[in-house]
Amino acid sequence: MFSIAAWLMEFCVNRNDSSLVKTMSGLSLPPVLHKTVGNEFHANKKLYIIGDVHGCYDELQKLLQLTGANTNEHVAVVFVGDLVNKGPRSIDVIRTVMGLGPRCLAVRGNHEEAALCQWQRLKTEPSYILPPKYEWVRHLSETQADFLSALPYTLHFPSQRILVVHGGLIPEVDLSSQVPLDMITMRNILVHDHFGYEYFPTADIHEGVPWATLWKGPQHVYFGHDARRKLQLCTHATGLDTGCVYGGILTAVEINGTGEKHMVQVQKIET
């Protein structure tokens, strides 16, 4: 749940303070908050960006098959976060994504952060009882937890003029000054709110306006986290959370350099 109090506390932290190494929830920040991706990652490859998976392993396998990513060394994939939680096979999703090796990148989502918080408590508090929805975290290995912990908040592809983030970005604010909490939770922006800031982020879609409609570039942002709005095709931002875990669709978009968006989609598989 988004907390205005938590946001205000983090907003007031000096972002240039090199001693700031933890999130508001007490997790260690990733070694690199904003990762720049060189051309070698996607050179001579098809590049796909994939929406929120949320533990939907079967649908992910089918999507990787349709894009060729599971067998073709000339296909690279990027995930917008929330690989885990809610769906039935989070561990298998993590294992699959890690297994793609150097052809795969992802950003941290709010559900990676929530799962890591539960995992950390399980490891440090002997009497801690996992909530039922996080029971899968019991099977998370150290290697898998390290993988999730290292996911950056953003990925920047300079040659493609693309940014990838899970939740959103505040327009007209440098990446270095974006607040980690916002980047994984925001959906909307309040403009000129009563706190006096020009832009105030919120997770509530009933307050303000979608942040993506205010983003003016120059980079095109691909993001997730907003399943209720499903596929969002804004001028300078594309939302890829199409609610697979809720019975919707798992979506990938091919980045081909032409500006056209070729979608590959898999419907939720009912069992």
Side-chain angles (χ1 to χ4, degrees):
M1 180 70 67
F2 178 77
S3 166
I4 290 179
W7 185 89
L8 286 172
M9 288 173 64
E10 191 162 0
F11 187 90
C12 293
V13 172
N14 180 358
R15 296 176 178 83
N16 295 318
D17 183 357
S18 60
S19 66
L20 180 62
V21 294
K22 292 186 180 294
T23 68
M24 289 299 299
S25 55
L27 290 175
S28 296
L29 290 171
V32 178
L33 272 68
H34 307 287
K35 179 179 177 65
T36 300
V37 183
N39 288 343
E40 63 277 5
F41 174 73
H42 52 81
N44 301 314
K45 297 184 181 76
K46 282 189 174 182
L47 175 62
Y48 290 93
I49 302 178
I50 300 176
D52 302 40
V53 179
H54 278 301
C56 294
Y57 171 79
D58 292 336
E59 293 80 2
L60 175 60
Q61 285 296 322
K62 187 172 181 179
L63 188 66
L64 294 177
Q65 181 180 9
L66 289 174
T67 59
N70 57 346
T71 57
N72 191 338
E73 293 294 322
H74 297 288
V75 177
V77 294
V78 176
F79 292 88
V80 301
D82 279 7
L83 297 168
V84 301
N85 277 356
K86 298 188 178 183
R89 298 178 66 178
S90 290
I91 294 291
D92 288 330
V93 167
I94 296 170
R95 187 179 295 117
T96 296
V97 171
M98 293 178 66
L100 292 171
R103 295 186 294 112
C104 176
L105 293 170
V107 295
R108 179 184 289 202
N110 57 305
H111 281 277
E112 278 78 42
E113 195 148 296
L116 286 168
C117 285
Q118 294 295 320
W119 185 82
Q120 183 171 276
R121 292 194 66 180
L122 188 65
K123 294 296 181 182
T124 58
E125 301 175 28
S127 61
Y128 184 66
I129 299 175
L130 283 168
K133 66 180 180 179
Y134 289 106
E135 186 60 32
W136 69 269
V137 171
R138 190 180 307 278
H139 307 288
L140 190 67
S141 71
E142 292 274 355
T143 300
Q144 292 164 342
D146 288 345
F147 169 77
L148 296 181
S149 297
L151 296 178
Y153 285 97
T154 68
L155 293 166
H156 180 208
F157 297 79
S159 64
Q160 302 276 2
R161 296 169 68 92
I162 285 173
L163 286 168
V164 179
V165 68
H166 177 63
L169 297 170
I170 299 178
E172 302 173 19
V173 174
D174 290 340
L175 280 182
S176 61
S177 296
Q178 300 278 346
V179 177
L181 181 63
D182 298 340
M183 290 186 283
I184 61 173
T185 60
M186 66 183 289
R187 296 184 179 96
N188 277 23
I189 283 179
L190 300 172
V191 182
H192 298 298
D193 74 298
H194 57 278
F195 285 98
Y197 304 116
E198 185 174 4
Y199 294 124
F200 187 86
T202 176
D204 190 343
I205 66 170
H206 303 295
E207 297 181 347
V209 297
W211 73 268
T213 63
L214 300 178
W215 183 262
K216 305 303 182 185
Q219 299 92 350
H220 192 97
V221 180
Y222 290 88
F223 65 100
H225 189 58
D226 199 353
R228 281 173 287 187
R229 290 191 174 109
K230 301 182 181 178
L231 184 65
Q232 298 179 61
L233 299 174
C234 302
T235 304
H236 298 287
T238 299
L240 294 173
D241 187 354
T242 44
C244 182
V245 74
Y246 304 113
I249 296 168
L250 183 60
T251 296
V253 58
E254 181 184 354
I255 308 301
N256 54 28
T258 66
E260 297 180 3
K261 293 182 174 63
H262 172 60
M263 301 290 174
V264 181
Q265 297 182 311
V266 172
Q267 184 68 44
K268 172 70 175 177
I269 299 170
E270 299 298 336
T271 57

